[in-house]
Short mmCIF file of all heavy atoms in Angstrom, two decimals:
data_model
loop_
_atom_site.label_atom_id
_atom_site.label_comp_id
_atom_site.label_asym_id
_atom_site.label_seq_id
_atom_site.Cartn_x
_atom_site.Cartn_y
_atom_site.Cartn_z
N GLY A 28 9.66 -23.75 -27.38
CA GLY A 28 10.85 -23.66 -26.55
C GLY A 28 10.58 -23.47 -25.07
O GLY A 28 11.38 -22.87 -24.37
N LEU A 152 20.82 -12.27 -12.22
CA LEU A 152 20.54 -13.55 -12.88
C LEU A 152 19.59 -14.40 -12.05
O LEU A 152 19.58 -14.34 -10.82
CB LEU A 152 21.84 -14.35 -13.07
CG LEU A 152 22.90 -13.83 -14.03
CD1 LEU A 152 24.03 -14.84 -14.12
CD2 LEU A 152 22.32 -13.57 -15.40
N ARG A 153 18.78 -15.19 -12.74
CA ARG A 153 18.06 -16.27 -12.07
C ARG A 153 19.09 -17.31 -11.60
O ARG A 153 20.11 -17.49 -12.27
CB ARG A 153 17.06 -16.92 -13.02
CG ARG A 153 16.01 -15.99 -13.59
CD ARG A 153 15.14 -16.71 -14.61
NE ARG A 153 14.09 -15.84 -15.15
CZ ARG A 153 14.22 -15.11 -16.26
NH1 ARG A 153 15.36 -15.17 -16.95
NH2 ARG A 153 13.23 -14.35 -16.69
N VAL A 154 18.79 -17.98 -10.49
CA VAL A 154 19.70 -19.02 -10.01
C VAL A 154 19.90 -20.08 -11.09
O VAL A 154 21.02 -20.57 -11.31
CB VAL A 154 19.18 -19.65 -8.70
CG1 VAL A 154 19.98 -20.89 -8.33
CG2 VAL A 154 19.25 -18.64 -7.57
N SER A 155 18.82 -20.43 -11.81
CA SER A 155 18.93 -21.45 -12.87
C SER A 155 19.85 -20.98 -13.99
O SER A 155 20.53 -21.79 -14.62
CB SER A 155 17.54 -21.77 -13.42
OG SER A 155 16.91 -20.60 -13.92
N GLU A 156 19.88 -19.67 -14.26
CA GLU A 156 20.78 -19.14 -15.29
C GLU A 156 22.22 -19.18 -14.81
O GLU A 156 23.13 -19.47 -15.59
CB GLU A 156 20.37 -17.70 -15.64
CG GLU A 156 19.01 -17.60 -16.32
CD GLU A 156 18.53 -16.18 -16.49
OE1 GLU A 156 19.02 -15.28 -15.78
OE2 GLU A 156 17.62 -15.95 -17.32
N LEU A 157 22.43 -18.89 -13.53
CA LEU A 157 23.80 -18.87 -13.01
C LEU A 157 24.44 -20.25 -13.03
O LEU A 157 25.58 -20.40 -13.45
CB LEU A 157 23.80 -18.32 -11.58
CG LEU A 157 25.19 -18.30 -10.94
CD1 LEU A 157 25.58 -16.90 -10.52
CD2 LEU A 157 25.26 -19.23 -9.74
N VAL A 158 23.68 -21.27 -12.59
CA VAL A 158 24.29 -22.60 -12.47
C VAL A 158 24.52 -23.25 -13.83
O VAL A 158 25.26 -24.23 -13.93
CB VAL A 158 23.44 -23.53 -11.57
CG1 VAL A 158 23.36 -22.97 -10.16
CG2 VAL A 158 22.05 -23.76 -12.15
N THR A 159 23.90 -22.73 -14.88
CA THR A 159 24.12 -23.29 -16.22
C THR A 159 25.15 -22.49 -17.02
O THR A 159 25.36 -22.78 -18.20
CB THR A 159 22.79 -23.36 -17.01
OG1 THR A 159 22.19 -22.06 -17.04
CG2 THR A 159 21.82 -24.34 -16.37
N LEU A 160 25.78 -21.51 -16.38
CA LEU A 160 26.81 -20.74 -17.07
C LEU A 160 28.03 -21.62 -17.37
O LEU A 160 28.45 -22.42 -16.53
CB LEU A 160 27.27 -19.56 -16.22
CG LEU A 160 26.35 -18.34 -16.16
CD1 LEU A 160 26.91 -17.33 -15.15
CD2 LEU A 160 26.19 -17.69 -17.52
N HIS A 161 28.59 -21.45 -18.56
CA HIS A 161 29.82 -22.13 -18.94
C HIS A 161 30.92 -21.08 -19.17
O HIS A 161 30.63 -19.90 -19.36
CB HIS A 161 29.62 -22.98 -20.19
CG HIS A 161 28.75 -24.17 -19.96
ND1 HIS A 161 27.38 -24.09 -19.95
CD2 HIS A 161 29.06 -25.46 -19.68
CE1 HIS A 161 26.87 -25.29 -19.70
NE2 HIS A 161 27.86 -26.13 -19.54
N GLN A 164 30.72 -18.53 -21.88
CA GLN A 164 29.73 -17.46 -21.78
C GLN A 164 30.26 -16.25 -21.01
O GLN A 164 29.57 -15.23 -20.92
CB GLN A 164 28.46 -17.97 -21.10
CG GLN A 164 27.71 -19.03 -21.90
CD GLN A 164 26.58 -19.65 -21.10
OE1 GLN A 164 26.68 -20.76 -20.60
NE2 GLN A 164 25.47 -18.92 -20.96
N LEU A 172 28.39 -11.10 -19.51
CA LEU A 172 28.01 -12.50 -19.58
C LEU A 172 27.06 -12.69 -20.75
O LEU A 172 26.24 -11.82 -21.05
CB LEU A 172 27.26 -12.94 -18.30
CG LEU A 172 28.05 -13.03 -17.00
CD1 LEU A 172 27.06 -13.26 -15.85
CD2 LEU A 172 29.07 -14.14 -17.05
N ILE A 173 27.17 -13.81 -21.43
CA ILE A 173 26.18 -14.21 -22.43
C ILE A 173 25.26 -15.21 -21.74
O ILE A 173 25.67 -16.32 -21.42
CB ILE A 173 26.85 -14.84 -23.66
CG1 ILE A 173 27.86 -13.88 -24.28
CG2 ILE A 173 25.80 -15.26 -24.69
CD1 ILE A 173 28.70 -14.50 -25.37
N VAL A 174 24.04 -14.79 -21.49
CA VAL A 174 23.12 -15.57 -20.65
C VAL A 174 22.02 -16.18 -21.52
O VAL A 174 21.45 -15.51 -22.39
CB VAL A 174 22.49 -14.69 -19.55
CG1 VAL A 174 21.50 -15.49 -18.71
CG2 VAL A 174 23.58 -14.09 -18.68
N MET A 175 21.73 -17.45 -21.28
CA MET A 175 20.62 -18.13 -21.95
C MET A 175 19.45 -18.18 -20.98
O MET A 175 19.49 -18.89 -19.98
CB MET A 175 21.03 -19.55 -22.37
CG MET A 175 20.08 -20.17 -23.37
SD MET A 175 20.06 -19.28 -24.94
CE MET A 175 21.70 -19.65 -25.57
N GLY A 176 18.42 -17.38 -21.24
CA GLY A 176 17.30 -17.27 -20.32
C GLY A 176 16.13 -18.15 -20.70
O GLY A 176 16.28 -19.14 -21.42
N LYS A 177 14.96 -17.78 -20.19
CA LYS A 177 13.75 -18.55 -20.46
C LYS A 177 13.45 -18.57 -21.95
O LYS A 177 13.65 -17.59 -22.65
CB LYS A 177 12.56 -17.95 -19.69
CG LYS A 177 12.59 -18.22 -18.19
CD LYS A 177 11.31 -17.77 -17.53
CE LYS A 177 11.27 -18.14 -16.06
NZ LYS A 177 10.00 -17.70 -15.41
N GLY A 178 12.93 -19.71 -22.41
CA GLY A 178 12.63 -19.85 -23.83
C GLY A 178 13.86 -19.84 -24.71
O GLY A 178 13.78 -19.53 -25.89
N ASN A 179 15.02 -20.17 -24.11
CA ASN A 179 16.29 -20.20 -24.85
C ASN A 179 16.60 -18.86 -25.51
O ASN A 179 17.17 -18.81 -26.61
CB ASN A 179 16.29 -21.31 -25.90
CG ASN A 179 16.36 -22.69 -25.26
OD1 ASN A 179 17.00 -22.87 -24.23
ND2 ASN A 179 15.69 -23.64 -25.86
N LYS A 180 16.20 -17.76 -24.84
CA LYS A 180 16.49 -16.43 -25.36
C LYS A 180 17.82 -15.94 -24.80
O LYS A 180 18.03 -15.93 -23.59
CB LYS A 180 15.36 -15.46 -25.00
CG LYS A 180 14.03 -15.80 -25.68
CD LYS A 180 12.95 -14.82 -25.30
CE LYS A 180 11.63 -15.16 -25.98
NZ LYS A 180 10.54 -14.24 -25.55
N GLU A 181 18.68 -15.53 -25.69
CA GLU A 181 20.02 -15.09 -25.29
C GLU A 181 20.03 -13.59 -25.04
O GLU A 181 19.40 -12.81 -25.75
CB GLU A 181 21.02 -15.43 -26.41
CG GLU A 181 22.47 -15.16 -26.07
CD GLU A 181 23.37 -15.57 -27.22
OE1 GLU A 181 23.66 -16.78 -27.34
OE2 GLU A 181 23.77 -14.68 -28.00
N ARG A 182 20.75 -13.19 -23.97
CA ARG A 182 20.90 -11.77 -23.69
C ARG A 182 22.30 -11.51 -23.13
O ARG A 182 22.94 -12.40 -22.57
CB ARG A 182 19.84 -11.25 -22.72
CG ARG A 182 19.95 -11.75 -21.29
CD ARG A 182 18.78 -11.24 -20.44
NE ARG A 182 18.96 -11.45 -19.02
CZ ARG A 182 18.69 -12.57 -18.38
NH1 ARG A 182 18.23 -13.62 -19.06
NH2 ARG A 182 18.88 -12.66 -17.07
N LEU A 183 22.78 -10.28 -23.29
CA LEU A 183 24.06 -9.86 -22.75
C LEU A 183 23.81 -9.14 -21.43
O LEU A 183 22.96 -8.24 -21.37
CB LEU A 183 24.79 -8.94 -23.72
CG LEU A 183 25.24 -9.55 -25.05
CD1 LEU A 183 25.89 -8.48 -25.91
CD2 LEU A 183 26.22 -10.69 -24.81
N VAL A 184 24.54 -9.51 -20.38
CA VAL A 184 24.35 -8.91 -19.07
C VAL A 184 25.71 -8.42 -18.56
O VAL A 184 26.66 -9.21 -18.46
CB VAL A 184 23.76 -9.93 -18.07
CG1 VAL A 184 23.57 -9.28 -16.70
CG2 VAL A 184 22.43 -10.47 -18.58
N LEU A 273 17.04 -8.07 -16.69
CA LEU A 273 16.40 -9.22 -16.07
C LEU A 273 15.94 -10.27 -17.09
O LEU A 273 15.68 -11.42 -16.72
CB LEU A 273 15.19 -8.78 -15.23
CG LEU A 273 15.49 -7.94 -13.99
CD1 LEU A 273 14.20 -7.47 -13.34
CD2 LEU A 273 16.32 -8.72 -12.98
N GLY A 274 15.81 -9.87 -18.34
CA GLY A 274 15.35 -10.81 -19.36
C GLY A 274 13.86 -11.02 -19.33
O GLY A 274 13.38 -12.09 -19.70
#
Side-chain angles (χ1 to χ4, degrees):
L152 293 184
R153 301 175 178 93
V154 170
S155 58
E156 293 172 341
L157 178 121
V158 298
T159 55
L160 283 174
H161 291 82
Q164 294 172 257
L172 291 171
I173 302 172
V174 178
M175 195 64 69
K177 287 188 174 180
N179 290 325
K180 294 180 180 177
E181 186 178 280
R182 70 184 191 277
L183 294 177
V184 180
L273 293 175

